[in-house]
Amino acid sequence: MNQSFNIHIATETLAKNAQQLNVSIEELESISIEVSAKIVQQPTLQLVMTYQVTLPSQTLANQLNWPTWQQAQVNFTDYLWEETCLECFIASSKLNDSKVNDEDIVTTHQTMPHNIPFQHSPSYVEVNASPDGRYALYQFDSYRNPTALPPVPLYETDGTTRASIDWNNNKDLTAISVESQSSSTPTVVQSAFLYERSFSLPITQLPNQQYAVANIMIEQIHPCVILWFSETDLYFATNHASPPDFHNRDYWPNFEL
């Protein structure tokens, strides 16, 4: 069982970002990020998330802040969203839109304040993972609530053990050849640069082929990525709110495994 996601760059500040990084808008739009989600038994049931980032140029590769994998760095760490960060949001079914009220107005733990006029959400999980091995898992009762910083950690069903991830085989920088397919004799036209990380979350199987992380049933899953290039941060997701807001569940895909 495998669900794939192609996640795309937020475009609101694309021209400014391209200028800061001395690349073209087309180069930024050509950054490819593919994420796969699959359920495996290893030996317990796991949701495996694999992130593959492909950069189209040496210029971008030289500026990417992608920390080197280190086993010694594997530990729970807050504020990873302030760096290059692989993220995933997991949630159960939505509540009725009619339940929106003034108490749903909250603020963000990212770069700008947001309101929540669109819906009232039940609990969901946020997973942060740094390429160097650090991670964090948080639980929200509703949209960005509680508002405490750092957010409230996610606990296992025993209520005392912090939830964690397990890292799988991880690859650092790899240069790959990109071939032209426009003629009968393909020719190498450029090199691309591949980065990959993979981690897994313990899950529980429920009736009717449903699954849960800790006490959150998986009905929506939203993989996304923040990449820092020098002093410039770029946001990637399957779909984007305006301004970008990974917590906005109107843009989250359904979980289809």
Side-chain angles (χ1 to χ4, degrees):
M1 294 183 289
N2 187 31
Q3 184 173 356
S4 297
F5 307 84
N6 291 314
I7 64 178
H8 312 286
I9 193 169
T11 59
E12 288 189 329
T13 60
L14 209 53
K16 177 183 177 182
N17 297 149
Q19 184 178 30
Q20 290 172 333
L21 298 173
N22 196 29
V23 297
S24 67
I25 291 175
E26 290 73 23
E27 279 181 88
L28 294 185
E29 291 177 327
S30 296
I31 296 173
S32 172
I33 303 183
E34 297 183 3
V35 181
S36 69
K38 64 180 179 180
I39 294 174
V40 300
Q41 190 90 24
Q42 46 167 241
T44 59
L45 209 58
Q46 306 276 323
L47 173 65
V48 179
M49 303 293 301
T50 301
Y51 296 71
Q52 290 187 327
V53 178
T54 305
L55 303 183
S57 70
Q58 181 76 62
T59 302
L60 284 172
N62 288 345
Q63 297 181 81
L64 175 63
N65 300 331
W66 183 269
T68 303
W69 166 261
Q70 300 178 64
Q71 181 63 43
Q73 289 279 50
V74 177
N75 63 83
F76 190 105
T77 305
D78 292 312
Y79 299 105
L80 292 177
W81 63 82
E82 297 178 347
E83 313 170 25
T84 287
C85 187
L86 313 177
E87 300 193 11
C88 186
F89 293 79
I90 297 170
S92 56
S93 58
K94 298 179 181 180
L95 295 180
N96 193 310
D97 287 347
S98 65
K99 296 184 179 180
V100 175
N101 56 56
D102 291 341
E103 294 178 356
D104 297 320
I105 305 302
V106 296
T107 56
T108 174
H109 71 247
Q110 294 196 19
T111 58
M112 62 192 70
H114 295 270
N115 292 335
I116 178 174
F118 56 92
Q119 67 177 16
H120 175 71
S121 301
S123 297
Y124 62 94
V125 170
E126 176 182 355
V127 182
N128 292 172
S130 169
D132 66 10
R134 293 170 295 157
Y135 68 88
L137 293 92
Y138 303 115
Q139 180 165 358
F140 293 85
D141 297 330
S142 59
Y143 176 86
R144 298 186 180 274
N145 180 40
T147 59
L149 288 177
V152 177
L154 174 69
Y155 288 91
E156 300 289 356
T157 52
D158 62 14
T160 59
T161 306
R162 273 191 180 182
S164 62
I165 65 173
D166 294 315
W167 288 98
N168 304 317
N169 293 331
N170 292 287
K171 302 175 184 177
D172 277 313
L173 173 64
T174 305
I176 57 175
S177 297
V178 179
E179 297 182 343
S180 170
Q181 302 299 325
S182 59
S183 66
S184 58
T185 306
T187 56
V188 175
V189 295
Q190 65 176 0
S191 290
F193 300 88
L194 175 67
Y195 308 77
E196 181 176 305
R197 288 290 182 268
S198 180
F199 59 81
S200 57
L201 296 165
I203 59 175
T204 302
Q205 185 162 10
L206 306 175
N208 302 319
Q209 293 300 305
Q210 294 177 320
Y211 302 91
V213 172
N215 59 344
I216 303 296
M217 186 173 69
I218 309 174
E219 291 194 355
Q220 288 179 290
I221 185 168
H222 184 50
C224 40
V225 172
I226 301 170
L227 294 181
W228 278 86
F229 294 84
S230 298
E231 301 300 317
T232 300
D233 54 336
L234 303 180
Y235 292 80
F236 297 81
T238 52
N239 294 288
H240 288 281
S242 180
D245 179 3
F246 292 162
H247 289 250
N248 186 332
R249 285 185 57 185
D250 281 356
Y251 297 85
W252 295 14
N254 291 328
F255 182 64
E256 296 178 348
L257 289 180

